C-alpha cells in the first residue's frame, strides 16, 4: 500500500508540472541618457507611513499559519507603530477586521515544496494551481505571467529562502514589480542585484512574513516606509509602483522585553531627504550611519560615514542603490536609481520577451503525461486485492 501510494504521488507530481517551455531573450543591463528617480514625488507632506504587507493570521479553515486572528495581529502591529498592515494568507483574501476602507486585497500564492511564493495584489481572480516542484524557469515564468494578468502587480517573495532560486532564474524572470530582497540572514541583497544587473527593474519591499505576532522574534523585524497620502489602497498603489518608499531591517530590540521593543520602534532612524540633482544621487538621514552604494554586478561602488550621502551615477553605470547601517543595528535600503530612456517609457521596468518553444513544450508535457499514466498503472497494480473464496 505504501508503494502504491508513492506511485500515485509521483503521478500527481507529474500532473502538477505541466507548463509551456519558453525561449528567453538575452538579458541586457539598464542603459540610456536619463536616470529614473523613484523619489521624484517626495515632498514635505505627507509623512512616511510604516507598512507591513506580508502578514499571516489565524483563519477559520484547516490550514492555519498563525495562532492569532486578524484583530489581534492588527493590535500587535499598531502598538509597534505601524500605519499600514496587509493580511496575506495563502490563497485566500482576508477581510480587514476593523475598517473596510483600509482593506488591501492581497494573498500569497504557492504551496510548492520549493517555497516559490508570490504576493498577489488586488487580484481579479485567484489561481489555486501551483507547480509542486517548480524546477524550470519556464514554470516560474508562466506563474508570473498568469498572476500578473489577473492582478494589479506581483511581489517576488523571499528569493534568498526559495530553493532553486538560481542566478540564471534571477537573470531571466520578469513579470513581478517588487521583491522581498531581504528575507534571510544576509544584508547584501545579492538576489536583487542579480535581477537588477540583468535589466529587470523592481523595488525592494521587505516585510516580516510574520506567522506569530505574539512572538517578539517574529514581529517588527522588517518593514517599509511609504510616502503615501493615506493608508488606503488607492493611495498606496501608486507609491508601491513608483518606488517612493524605503525599507528597514530591525533588530529584536529588548530580546523579549516588550517595553524596550516598543520604545526603540518609536525612535527608528529615517530618511529625511533623498533624490537626484542632475546625475548626482543624494540622501540625508536622521542619524549617522555607514552608507554603501551598490551597482552593476553586485559591486560596492563606494562607502562613507555620516548622516548624508552624495555621489554621481556614472554614465556607464546602469544603476545605484543605497544601504545604510546604523549603530543600533537598523539597516535601511533605498530603491534603485537606474538608467533608462524616458522618451521610450516612464520607468526602467519592462517585461523581457519570452516566446513559447512549441516543440519542447509538446515533448515536455507528453513525457509528463506518459510518466503520470505509468505511475498510475504501477500504483494500481501494487494495491493488494482480496482473494475470492472458492
Amino acid at each position: 500500500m505504501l508503494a502504491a501510494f508513492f506511485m500515485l504521488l509521483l503521478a500527481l507530481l507529474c500532473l502538477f508540472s505541466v507548463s509551456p517551455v519558453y525561449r528567453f531573450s538575452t538579458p541586457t543591463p539598464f542603459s540610456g541618457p536619463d536616470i529614473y528617480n523613484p523619489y521624484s514625488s517626495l515632498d514635505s507632506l505627507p509623512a512616511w507611513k510604516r507598512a507591513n504587507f506580508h502578514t499571516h493570521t489565524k483563519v477559520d479553515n484547516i490550514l492555519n499559519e498563525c495562532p492569532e486572528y486578524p484583530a489581534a495581529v492588527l493590535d500587535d502591529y499598531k502598538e509597534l507603530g505601524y500605519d499600514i498592515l496587509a493580511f496575506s494568507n495563502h490563497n485566500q483574501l482576508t477581510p480587514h477586521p476593523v475598517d473596510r476602507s483600509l482593506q488591501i486585497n492581497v494573498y500569497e500564492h504557492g504551496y510548492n515544496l520549493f517555497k516559490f511564493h508570490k504576493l498577489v495584489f488586488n487580484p481579479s481572480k485567484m489561481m489555486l494551481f501551483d507547480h509542486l516542484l517548480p524546477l524550470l524557469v519556464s514554470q516560474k515564468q508562466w506563474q508570473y505571467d498568469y498572476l500578473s494578468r489577473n492582478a494589479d502587480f506581483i511581489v517576488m517573495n523571499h528569493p534568498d529562502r526559495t530553493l532553486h532560486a538560481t542566478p540564471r532564474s534571477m537573470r531571466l524572470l520578469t513579470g513581478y514589480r517588487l521583491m522581498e530582497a531581504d528575507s534571510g540572514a544576509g544584508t547584501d541583497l545579492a538576489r536583487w542585484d542579480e535581477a537588477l544587473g540583468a535589466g529587470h527593474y523592481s523595488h525592494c519591499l521587505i516585510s516580516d512574513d510574520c506567522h506569530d505576532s505574539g512572538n517578539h522574534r517574529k514581529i517588527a523585524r522588517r518593514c517599509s516606509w511609504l510616502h503615501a497620502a493615506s493608508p488606503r489602497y488607492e493611495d498606496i498603489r501608486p507609491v508601491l509602483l513608483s518606488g517612493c518608499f524605503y525599507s528597514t531591517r530591525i533588530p529584536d530590540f529588548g530580546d523579549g522585553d516588550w517595553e524596550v521593543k516598543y520604545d526603540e520602534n518609536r525612535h527608528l532612524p529615517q530618511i529625511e531627504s533623498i533624490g537626484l540633482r542632475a546625475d548626482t544621487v543624494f540622501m540625508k538621514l536622521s542619524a549617522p550611519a555607514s552608507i554603501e552604494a551598490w551597482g552593476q554586478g553586485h559591486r560596492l561602488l563606494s562607502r562613507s560615514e555620516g548622516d548624508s550621502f552624495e555621489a554621481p551615477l556614472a554614465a556607464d553605470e546602469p544603476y545605484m542603490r543605497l544601504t545604510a547601517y546604523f549603530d543600533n543595528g537598523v539597516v535601511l535600503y533605498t530603491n534603485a536609481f537606474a538608467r533608462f530612456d524616458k522618451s521610450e517609457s516612464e520607468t526602467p521596468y519592462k517585461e523581457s520577451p519570452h516566446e513559447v518553444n512549441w516543440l519542447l513544450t509538446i515533448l515536455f508535457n507528453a513525457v509528463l503525461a506518459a510518466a503520470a499514466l505509468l505511475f498510475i498503472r504501477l500504483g494500481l497494480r501494487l494495491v493488494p486485492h482480496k482473494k475470492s473464496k472458492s
Side-chain angles (χ1 to χ4, degrees):
M1 285 299 294
L2 286 174
F5 181 70
F6 182 68
M7 289 296 108
L8 293 177
L9 278 180
L10 289 176
L12 189 67
L13 185 64
C14 291
L15 293 174
F16 278 84
S17 296
V18 295
S19 169
V21 178
Y22 297 113
R23 293 189 188 94
F24 290 92
S25 58
T26 303
T28 56
F30 302 118
S31 62
D34 306 302
I35 301 174
Y36 181 71
N37 174 14
Y39 303 99
S40 59
S41 63
L42 189 65
D43 53 32
S44 58
L45 292 173
W48 296 111
K49 290 180 172 54
R50 190 177 182 181
N52 191 76
F53 292 99
H54 192 169
T55 319
H56 296 278
T57 71
K58 187 174 182 179
V59 291
D60 291 323
N61 61 29
I62 298 173
L63 298 173
N64 267 298
E65 305 174 76
C66 176
E68 295 95 6
Y69 279 107
V73 175
L74 178 63
D75 288 342
D76 290 339
Y77 271 96
K78 287 176 67 177
E79 197 162 4
L80 283 158
Y82 284 74
D83 308 290
I84 301 167
L85 187 65
F87 304 104
S88 54
N89 290 309
H90 275 271
N91 289 59
Q92 73 174 50
L93 299 178
T94 305
H96 194 281
V98 176
D99 187 346
R100 293 186 62 182
S101 70
L102 301 180
Q103 174 72 21
I104 301 173
N105 286 330
V106 59
Y107 72 95
E108 184 171 20
H109 175 269
Y111 284 115
N112 59 79
L113 301 178
F114 285 179
K115 293 181 72 66
F116 175 57
H117 298 162
K118 292 77 57 186
L119 289 186
V120 185
F121 276 77
N122 202 30
S124 58
K125 56 182 175 180
M126 195 172 296
M127 183 173 80
L128 298 179
F129 177 82
D130 191 15
H131 297 105
L132 298 181
L133 284 178
L135 283 165
L136 302 182
V137 180
S138 291
Q139 293 171 319
K140 300 179 178 73
Q141 186 61 62
W142 179 83
Q143 292 192 33
Y144 280 128
D145 290 347
Y146 184 91
L147 291 169
S148 61
R149 283 197 302 268
N150 298 286
D152 282 354
F153 54 90
I154 308 299
V155 180
M156 178 188 287
N157 282 357
H158 44 65
D160 49 0
R161 291 194 288 114
T162 299
L163 298 177
H164 208 254
T166 63
R168 178 176 180 270
S169 68
M170 298 305 296
R171 290 194 299 267
L172 294 179
L173 289 172
T174 60
Y176 58 92
R177 299 297 300 271
L178 304 106
M179 183 187 297
E180 277 187 352
D182 174 350
S183 58
T187 60
D188 61 354
L189 312 191
R191 290 297 188 217
W192 191 27
D193 278 330
E194 288 168 354
L196 290 173
H200 303 319
Y201 191 78
S202 64
H203 304 305
C204 175
L205 183 78
I206 68 173
S207 299
D208 276 339
D209 189 5
C210 184
H211 289 256
D212 183 0
S213 64
N215 186 333
H216 64 88
R217 296 185 180 90
K218 304 293 185 182
I219 190 171
R221 304 304 307 276
R222 293 174 177 86
C223 68
S224 295
W225 298 83
L226 279 63
H227 206 255
S230 81
R232 291 177 172 81
Y233 182 70
E234 59 265 27
D235 291 321
I236 293 170
R237 180 182 181 275
V239 174
L240 292 176
L241 291 176
S242 68
C244 195
F245 65 92
Y246 67 93
S247 298
T248 49
R249 176 186 180 120
I250 307 155
D252 179 23
F253 290 119
D255 191 23
D257 187 332
W258 285 94
E259 291 306 316
V260 173
K261 191 177 184 78
Y262 294 143
D263 183 65
E264 292 288 345
N265 273 269
R266 284 192 289 267
H267 302 94
L268 295 175
Q270 292 192 326
I271 289 179
E272 293 185 346
S273 64
I274 184 171
L276 193 67
R277 298 189 192 100
D279 289 350
T280 298
V281 176
F282 69 89
M283 179 174 68
K284 180 72 168 64
L285 302 171
S286 63
S290 175
I291 304 171
E292 298 177 346
W294 291 82
Q296 184 72 15
H298 190 51
R299 192 172 81 260
L300 181 62
L301 303 178
S302 67
R303 180 184 287 114
S304 62
E305 303 289 332
D307 61 2
S308 61
F309 172 89
E310 188 171 309
L313 181 63
D316 60 349
E317 189 64 44
Y319 73 92
M320 179 192 292
R321 62 172 184 83
L322 307 179
T323 301
Y325 296 88
F326 296 91
D327 290 341
N328 64 353
V330 172
V331 183
L332 182 153
Y333 307 109
T334 74
N335 287 318
F337 297 81
R339 291 205 166 271
F340 77 124
D341 189 341
K342 63 183 178 183
S343 67
E344 297 178 356
S345 61
E346 294 182 357
T347 74
Y349 175 81
K350 59 180 181 293
E351 295 183 18
S352 298
H354 42 277
E355 299 177 353
V356 176
N357 185 324
W358 288 106
L359 177 59
L360 286 182
T361 297
I362 292 169
L363 290 174
F364 175 68
N365 290 290
V367 169
L368 288 176
L373 288 173
L374 175 63
F375 290 134
I376 290 172
R377 290 187 64 182
L378 290 174
L380 292 176
R381 287 184 179 181
L382 290 168
V383 175
H385 300 283
K386 291 183 179 180
K387 295 181 178 180
S388 58
K389 294 182 179 180
S390 57

